[in-house]
Amino acid sequence: MGNADSDTCLAPVDVVVVGSGIAGLFLAVRCARSGMKVAVVTKKGVSTSSTNWAQGGIAGVLDVDDIEAIEAHVLDTIESGAGLCDEVVVRSVIREAAMRIKDLVEHGVRFDRKEDGGFHMAREGGHSGARILHSRDRTGQEIERALTKVASSESDAEFRILEDWMAVDLIQKSHGKPGDGVCGIWCLNTEGEVWTLPAKVVVLATGGSGMMHKATTNPSIATGDGVAMAHRAGAEIKDMEFIQFHPTSLSVSRQKPFLISEAMRGHGAVLMTIDEYAEWGSSSSSNPGEISFMRGYSELGSLGTRDVVARAIDRELKKSGDPHVLLVTEHLDREGLRQSFPTICSKLEEYGIDLGSDPIPVTPAAHYMVGGISVDSMGRAIIDGTPMPGLFAIGEVACTGLHGANRLASNSLLEAVVFSERAAERIIDEWGGGSLRDVSDNLPKWRADDLDTLVEHAPLRTDLEALRTTMTQDVGIVKSNSRLDRAERRLEHIDKEVSRTWKRCKPTQDLVELRNLVIVSKMVVSASKKREFNVGLHYNLDLS
Ligand code: SIN
């Protein structure tokens, strides 16, 4: 499944899927099984995706007749979304959960089971009950393992997985208007060559944009590529002010943040400040929840929704000047914890932290892009209020209306698989009915064919660093008008530098990613400036 040879890999396909996480692979397999010619383009290896890093799981009610349980999931989603969810989308996605989870199981995904054979359900922040299927604390890895295996077994001349190829831009017809739609992608190989890949349908499944921030739980591929490409092609982008910070990433000096799953708080772990932990040590209380600062912020205590918990931690850290808060687990059954969270346990051991005995230092980190490419109920990208011919978006890159102003934990894998199925069904129907447009022979040429100036890497790294510093300092959990103005000025400056380089130099993956990050960061700032009230993940001091 390595790189295909460039003569064949760039032959026209029916569908090109950009991205190889749960959304992309699920759709690709479905389309390939219907007989379509499919290419999956992924800028690193096939399993280098945000899905692979997901610890928690997939939320869903398995008994389709349990109306009460389904309604509770609907209400928790709407409550977490702070009134901005599309209720029709919420209800339809949650009703579809059981079928899509069954599909995953049929694809070979092994979710944890109880002794009686039923699925073990975990609980996470904002959920009023336990309804999250998981595979220990490495659910994403398990889903990615199963889907990659299915995809490899499908792989043949009609279904290619192109690793180390990066989509650079969507191709629109020569002299066409944006509403005419897309007919393929330009993609960059490791030799620095840009090739044309004609396709009747392009599906963007590129994930999020966590790399905008210095501290993120995302892999380094999360550079907002899909949103930036769709924006350049004229598609509608929505709700970019809602960047979700995960409350608990491991905070160990100079190390990349590592996610400490919310399922651990679902299991009973409690957040405390350093002072509260000392106080608890000298008190007679066996329950750290009685002392935790989270009592003052949410009725659910440490299990409040992510917007509330991340903001509470941010406030406590600003008050105390401490570098982190603590996630306390020593009141819980040590063996049970270690069995449920083996990945986290061994990561903590690397830093000499003993799960179940030692408190875990945690801080919030950028985690999920709630906004994205505006899509309809079939995952079709929207332009000027109507579907854009030939362009779909699924997974984190899409904004479906499910999450509103704040995504409920573990609803994202569910959204990804539901919209992948719907998009696949729509594409297969159109293909079967012969209504997919033919890919024109007369595609425009990539503009940079003849550029031969090489990018200088040092200034590129400086610009990337400046962008991440700006977003971290000025466009984080708590924003203000003056910080947003400053971020806008700084990003404008970086944009000019990067655009100059882009016009002069041969593209490289780093340059394409930085160009995308600049666009997406500017969108986050501009959407934040437009939002006139504080809601969910958007919190501006000057509006409160
Ligand atoms: C987690 O395990 O806490 C992350 C799950 C999610 O982001 O939905």
Side-chain angles (χ1 to χ4, degrees), residues 54-57 124 244 246 259-263 306 367 407-412:
Q55 292 178 2
E124 290 180 21
Q244 184 171 72
H246 195 289
L259 185 68
I260 305 293
S261 176
E262 205 159 272
R306 283 190 189 162
H367 184 60
R407 175 179 69 95
L408 181 66
S410 286
N411 265 358
S412 45

